[in-house]
Amino acid sequence: MKRRDFLRTLGGAGLMAGLPGLGLKQAMAEDIGAYTEGPLLFVIKAGGGMQQTAFCDPKEGAYWGQGANARKAGKVGDFYYAPVADNAAFFEKYHRDMLVINGMILGTNAHGAGSYVQQSGYTSSGAPFLSALFAKINGAGLPMPWLTPPGSGRLANGGLVPATITPTGADLKGLASAGAAHVPESHISILRRFQTERGESLIDGHALPFAANKIGHLNDARNNSKLLQHLAGFMPEKFSDPIHLQLVAMQAGVTVAGYSRLGGFDTHGMTPNSGYGLFSGLTRHVDYVWRRAEELGIADRLLVHITSDVGREIEGRKHYTVASTVLMAKNKSWTGRVVGTSGENFKPTRMNPVTLQPEANGVVITPAHVQRTMRRLLGIDGHELCRKYEFKDPEIDLLNPKYSSPQYV
């Protein structure tokens, strides 16, 4: 495939707009190696407001605990879970790999603001989602550092790394083989040298950062063609879905962050006989990510964040500012625990920042604490970009395996 055809294919697959602009002359680097070591991030969002009392923070005031057919919460390890959908099988299989965070105070009950604060730690706009921070720090220069499926909605990148829409399997195969040109490598090297010189002169001639970044995106597309060829060696014959594509791209080292969204959790019309089937979809979705990751040999590097936007009150109909979130990873000392509590009456509950036990003068967990914890797990907490977007919330060590919080059912 010719160079111009390669770039046209990028544009057709929506990749040109999503390729990472490194900024100014940094974008002119010749080649970057594949990201084959280090952590990977996959965010799964239950869009619409996950009812945590039907999942990991069970309360018997929920519909499943009422009436003649009332059920008791299930328990495995240190976890109580709601006895609905496929929760029992899911918690039995994965409880050792989970850090459940309950009683998280969002500071909002609006969908957009809740989604933003849960994925950035900030209640005001301007800060990037963690995926964008991580993709910029560990994936700068990769062809597709942050992959998302079509229809993901607005994802805050803070001007760091635009999310790339996951192409179809056919498009991705075309991109991976795009560098198999019938042009001698010596000729390509000469072309690259002239492209670099031309790009540098264009960057020097533009005072506007926007224009310079666009030039950076173009040169990233040119300079990263070898990594897309590298991807060809990992391509299976058939692709199942965007999640499979994202995880294969992670395996190949051209992607560091993935994203998936399940809709339908805006359950204003919840009744005793509806809504809980959503959680079968969620748990099967999470299970699928882990099974694919195991199959591809990247499970031990993966950090999965199960998030949402608003929380839900006990019965699931109304928005609530108290929410839950879950972190998952394999073979870690900090998993198999519950931290944070919504108390006996499903209310914001303060706790000791060390022992994580309820305490009248303690602190409450916020998304900022969760985001700070994930930065630490991903090994980027000391980076200058993270310092730029630091949090003012008091420190809470959510990873200390010595301490857990009680669950009140």
Side-chain angles (χ1 to χ4, degrees):
M1 182 180 290
K2 295 181 180 179
R3 178 74 60 174
R4 63 177 179 272
D5 295 328
F6 169 66
L7 294 176
R8 189 180 299 119
T9 304
L10 284 174
L15 291 173
M16 280 293 286
L19 287 168
L22 301 183
L24 304 180
K25 292 185 181 179
Q26 184 185 356
M28 311 309 299
E30 269 296 305
D31 289 299
I32 184 171
Y35 181 79
T36 56
E37 298 180 0
L40 300 163
L41 174 64
F42 201 100
V43 176
I44 299 173
K45 179 183 173 183
M50 179 177 70
Q51 183 192 355
Q52 61 271 39
T53 56
F55 188 49
C56 58
D57 193 6
K59 303 292 181 185
E60 291 181 353
Y63 284 129
W64 52 262
Q66 300 177 12
N69 297 318
R71 289 161 282 176
K72 295 289 185 181
K75 190 172 191 296
V76 58
D78 291 334
F79 296 94
Y80 284 98
Y81 59 86
V84 301
D86 298 324
N87 285 350
F90 180 79
F91 278 82
E92 182 66 41
K93 182 175 182 179
Y94 288 110
H95 69 277
R96 297 180 185 86
D97 305 320
M98 301 170 69
L99 179 68
V100 168
I101 302 168
N102 289 330
M104 181 175 64
I105 310 304
L106 302 179
T108 180
N109 65 356
H111 289 293
S115 179
Y116 180 75
V117 72
Q118 289 211 50
Q119 294 190 65
S120 72
Y122 278 78
T123 54
S124 57
S125 61
F129 283 179
L130 175 64
S131 297
L133 267 178
F134 183 57
K136 178 64 176 179
I137 294 169
N138 276 15
L142 296 177
M144 303 177 290
W146 179 17
L147 277 175
T148 65
S152 296
R154 297 179 62 183
L155 301 172
N157 63 52
L160 298 177
V161 176
T164 299
I165 302 300
T166 308
T168 66
D171 283 340
L172 196 55
K173 286 183 178 181
L175 289 169
S177 61
H182 301 290
V183 180
E185 183 61 33
S186 59
H187 292 185
I188 292 177
S189 298
I190 295 172
L191 288 171
R192 282 182 175 172
R193 177 164 58 84
F194 281 109
Q195 286 170 348
T196 299
E197 292 172 357
R198 174 61 173 163
E200 288 179 350
S201 67
L202 286 172
I203 287 173
D204 288 337
H206 278 282
L208 295 176
F210 175 80
N213 278 334
K214 287 297 182 183
I215 298 167
H217 292 329
L218 173 61
N219 281 281
D220 285 340
R222 290 168 171 165
N223 293 331
N224 290 323
S225 59
K226 281 191 174 180
L227 268 185
L228 287 171
Q229 293 175 48
H230 167 77
L231 174 60
F234 294 83
M235 305 290 285
E237 284 299 315
K238 294 182 179 180
F239 285 105
S240 301
D241 47 64
I243 291 176
H244 189 194
L245 289 166
Q246 291 180 52
L247 294 173
V248 167
M250 288 182 176
Q251 179 196 30
V254 300
T255 296
V256 302
Y259 179 85
S260 184
R261 181 186 183 279
L262 291 83
F265 287 83
D266 196 6
T267 51
H268 292 288
M270 178 74 78
T271 69
N273 298 313
S274 71
Y276 293 141
L278 291 166
F279 288 90
S280 290
L282 176 63
T283 55
R284 291 171 187 175
H285 197 87
V286 177
D287 178 61
Y288 178 75
V289 169
W290 281 112
R291 286 189 290 108
R292 281 292 189 191
E294 291 276 8
E295 172 189 301
L296 297 171
I298 59 172
D300 285 344
R301 300 169 57 198
L302 196 63
L303 174 65
V304 170
H305 181 204
I306 304 172
T307 184
S308 189
D309 32 280
V310 298
R312 294 273 163 191
E313 48 76 51
I314 287 181
E315 290 187 345
R317 288 182 175 178
K318 299 177 182 178
H319 293 193
Y320 201 37
T321 59
V322 180
S324 295
T325 193
V326 178
L327 304 183
M328 298 183 69
K330 295 286 187 181
N331 305 313
K332 306 298 181 184
S333 64
W334 50 267
T335 54
R337 300 162 50 239
V338 177
V339 298
T341 177
S342 59
E344 297 180 8
N345 299 310
F346 200 47
K347 300 293 183 183
T349 303
R350 294 185 175 274
M351 65 181 191
N352 184 290
V354 176
T355 66
L356 308 181
Q357 299 300 300
E359 184 177 278
N361 297 318
V363 298
V364 293
I365 292 180
T366 69
H369 294 116
V370 179
Q371 290 291 310
R372 182 187 286 139
T373 297
M374 285 197 288
R375 290 179 182 186
R376 178 178 164 190
L377 291 172
L378 294 170
I380 62 172
D381 51 322
H383 193 276
E384 60 182 352
L385 270 178
C386 290
R387 291 196 297 270
K388 178 181 177 180
Y389 296 104
E390 192 47 271
F391 304 111
K392 297 180 180 179
D393 301 62
E395 294 278 351
I396 304 177
D397 187 1
L398 302 181
L399 300 179
N400 191 332
K402 291 172 55 179
Y403 301 109
S404 298
S405 302
Q407 279 185 287
Y408 298 96
V409 178

